[in-house]
Amino acid sequence: MAGVQSFDNLLACRNLLKASVDNSTALALALDKTGPRIAELDQKLTFLEMAIRPGGSKNCTFAAVRDHISLALGPSAAVLKILDSIRELEKSLLSDSLPHSDIFSYISTIKQFEDAIKFLTANCNLAIQWLEGVIQFLEGNSVADDRYISKVKRSVAILEELQATGEQAGRNGELLSGAFAKLEISFKQILTESNAPLGFTNSSSPWTAEQAYNAALPLPGPILRKLQAIVEKLNTGNRTNSCISVFIEVRSLNAKNSLRALDLDYLENAVEEYDDVQDMEGCIHEWSKHMEFIVKCVLESEHMLCKEVFGSLESDAWTGCFAKIAVESGILLFLRFGMSIAESKKSPTKLLHLLNIFSVLETLRMDFNKLFGGESCNEIKTMTRDLVTKVVNGASEIFWELPLQVKLERRSSPPSDGGVPRLVSFVTDYCNRLLDDNYRPILTQVLRIHQGWKYEKYEEGLVTNQIYSIVREIAVNLDAWSKAYERKALSYIFMMNNHCHFTSLKGTKLGNLMGDSWLNAHGNYKEYYSALFLRETWGKILASLTQDNPDSSPKMRLMAFNEAFDDMYKKQLNWVVIDESLTNKMHKLVVQALVPAYTSYLQKYRVVVEHRSDVFYTVQSLETMLNTLFKAKQVKYTSSTIGSHLTGEQRNAVIDQLRFTLTAM
């Protein structure tokens, strides 16, 4: 209402000014008529020469006044005309409806209003100068009476008031401020109505360049041009702060909504809360996909939009806007998750976790440099740099300590069933993963970076040499563990199983690294310990049956054989052979050696057997019992299942054991 009253006052001033101009015009016409009359008197009254001369001076004076008034009339008339235009523009700007439906016309109206105000003040200034000249001339020559001079002075005052009002309106006056406020409201409404969360594609494949580009176009071109036009107009009045705040609020909410469909509870959990290693690996896998989504899709689109909307402002305006949106979106929470893993207790699986994290960061390195390279993103840059440092240092430290970890496990006890120790299965599987194409290039890059930080030259073959060292420590452990068994037979089956395990590595990354000669040597050792086992166990029982002993009767020898068989069977019932083909081979050898000899002996001493059939095994029962050995815990090892026979609880037990070793170092 204040703006309306102000222009009503101006309208009254306009009417007064028009009346003054009309009077000035009449005065000019009167002066035009008075000049010739004085000239006529001059011709008729030549005898009044001294009196006529002042008359000629007045003639010149009237002409000068007429010229001053004529020069003042042009700017004054322009002021009157522009006041009418301003009145019409005012009605458009004060309209109750919001302009976002036709934002460009509204912005054009504001521009016309600003130009009209400038034109008004310029013409007021010009008219004032000429009218002040008229007043000075009239007062100095006594051409007009005081009443007329007073009216001219009143006109000057009106023009000065108009000039001051125009200058105030040009400096974000009340009317212009209201128009800018409408633009700010329209900016928020257009932005809010155009918001749409981005959809996450749960795919194992990385984002392609085309997918990332399409995802980075969050607003249609017409909407974008409206926002740009509003920002550029508000910038002329230094009124962009409100738009920037609204933009941050709306786009931050949109970014959060884009992530709301994802299950991000794992980001809040501490590393110690995961019960199983596979759970942790699953979370890191999810983290890698989500990290790629938020960087390549969500933040890339926000980065592009900030630059498009606020790029016409000073450079730090749009980058600061993006930095705040990035922080609000939750990028720091993703980085803290990686940091929590990097700062967790040392363990072999932590190395794999760190390599996975490094792989993600390396994949997104160019995106991070592009999005967060400015000074406004220092917080994100600093945390990312710290995360990379801890990942590289932590992974390198664990890798160099692996052989020593294996060595320190030498004091533990071997399996009571003669099978492959969990540690051996875990470490061979672990080495296979490190040598896999998914990990080896990353591990090599991490070690190369770490060596560079220490100003040391990276040597090719560093990874393979470390793997050799790990395998050597395993071999030494096996020799030490085999000597811990009280029974030679169980020691033999233990060595047979472990050599069989190493033989089964053929075709794996670790097997290929160690070579055929290494694999063949383990195959030979497997056969060697298999023969020792058979000779130490069933070979001795068979000898008691086939060798003649004059001091014992057939009945006593048969009873002794059955007792020895029964004792051996009970001992070996809980022993294990890890390879099915080896189990079948051992069954076949034992049956071929034992059953025919036992059958022959029973037939030879049939009379004895018939009288004590309740004491001796039949041939069929003997063969059945032999076929049940080594099957209770039988595990088939292949190149794809090495180490996978460990349950989650068993695997965690091995990792906890190694973690204790690492932490104690």
Side-chain angles (χ1 to χ4, degrees), residues 286-318:
E286 288 298 302
W287 176 83
S288 66
K289 294 190 296 182
H290 295 162
M291 188 73 162
E292 190 173 20
F293 173 69
I294 189 176
V295 173
K296 283 186 172 291
C297 181
V298 177
L299 294 184
E300 173 67 27
S301 66
E302 298 303 330
H303 185 269
M304 180 181 296
L305 192 58
C306 286
K307 187 174 183 180
E308 289 290 334
V309 174
F310 299 108
S312 61
L313 310 183
E314 59 271 14
S315 59
D316 61 340
W318 74 267

Side-chain angles (χ1 to χ4, degrees), residues 585-599:
K585 180 180 179 180
M586 292 177 64
H587 285 163
K588 184 177 180 180
L589 290 174
V590 173
V591 169
Q592 287 178 350
L594 212 60
V595 172
Y598 187 66
T599 301

Side-chain angles (χ1 to χ4, degrees), residues 271 280-281 284 287-288 335 337-362 386-399 430 433-434 438-439 442-443 445-446 662:
V271 176
M280 186 74 255
E281 291 178 350
I284 293 177
W287 176 83
S288 66
L335 294 175
F337 175 81
M339 193 71 74
S340 67
I341 296 176
E343 294 173 347
S344 63
K345 295 179 180 179
K346 289 190 291 185
S347 72
T349 53
K350 179 183 175 180
L351 171 57
L352 302 179
H353 299 337
L354 294 179
L355 293 179
N356 286 328
I357 291 175
F358 180 84
S359 177
V360 174
L361 296 177
E362 177 63 17
D386 292 344
L387 176 58
V388 172
T389 300
K390 291 189 177 183
V391 166
V392 171
N393 289 337
S396 301
E397 184 179 355
I398 294 174
F399 180 73
Y430 186 77
R433 296 186 70 179
L434 289 181
N438 292 327
Y439 283 109
I442 304 171
L443 176 59
Q445 186 176 2
V446 166
L662 273 170

Side-chain angles (χ1 to χ4, degrees), residues 547-568:
Q547 293 177 358
D548 293 333
N549 186 353
D551 296 331
S552 62
S553 65
K555 175 183 173 181
M556 293 177 62
R557 289 164 61 186
L558 191 59
M559 291 183 66
F561 171 82
N562 276 264
E563 290 176 359
F565 178 88
D566 191 57
D567 181 64
M568 185 64 68

Side-chain angles (χ1 to χ4, degrees), residues 210-231:
E210 183 178 359
Q211 286 176 319
Y213 177 78
N214 291 334
L217 298 174
L219 297 180
I223 298 298
L224 194 59
R225 286 189 286 274
K226 286 183 178 181
L227 298 178
Q228 290 170 333
I230 293 175
V231 170

Side-chain angles (χ1 to χ4, degrees), residues 496-624:
M496 179 190 68
N497 279 325
N498 282 278
H499 286 296
C500 183
H501 172 69
F502 289 125
T503 304
S504 67
L505 294 174
K506 184 176 178 63
T508 66
K509 295 292 184 180
L510 180 57
N512 294 338
L513 175 67
M514 301 307 295
D516 290 338
S517 60
W518 183 84
L519 294 169
N520 293 334
H522 282 289
N524 294 335
Y525 278 116
K526 177 188 70 174
E527 298 297 333
Y528 171 73
Y529 283 106
S530 174
L532 287 179
F533 169 76
L534 292 174
R535 187 174 66 187
E536 180 69 21
T537 55
W538 302 108
K540 289 184 177 181
I541 294 177
L542 181 62
S544 68
L545 188 65
T546 57
Q547 293 177 358
D548 293 333
N549 186 353
D551 296 331
S552 62
S553 65
K555 175 183 173 181
M556 293 177 62
R557 289 164 61 186
L558 191 59
M559 291 183 66
F561 171 82
N562 276 264
E563 290 176 359
F565 178 88
D566 191 57
D567 181 64
M568 185 64 68
Y569 175 79
K570 290 179 180 179
K571 289 179 181 178
Q572 296 186 17
L573 190 62
N574 293 320
W575 295 357
V576 66
V577 175
I578 66 169
D579 183 74
E580 184 178 355
S581 63
L582 183 57
T583 302
N584 294 334
K585 180 180 179 180
M586 292 177 64
H587 285 163
K588 184 177 180 180
L589 290 174
V590 173
V591 169
Q592 287 178 350
L594 212 60
V595 172
Y598 187 66
T599 301
S600 176
Y601 196 87
L602 291 179
Q603 291 176 350
K604 184 176 180 179
Y605 300 101
R606 182 179 303 173
V607 177
V608 177
V609 174
E610 289 176 352
H611 283 84
R612 300 296 305 273
S613 59
D614 58 327
V615 178
F616 309 125
Y617 288 110
T618 64
V619 173
Q620 184 177 1
S621 63
L622 189 74
E623 185 173 355
T624 300

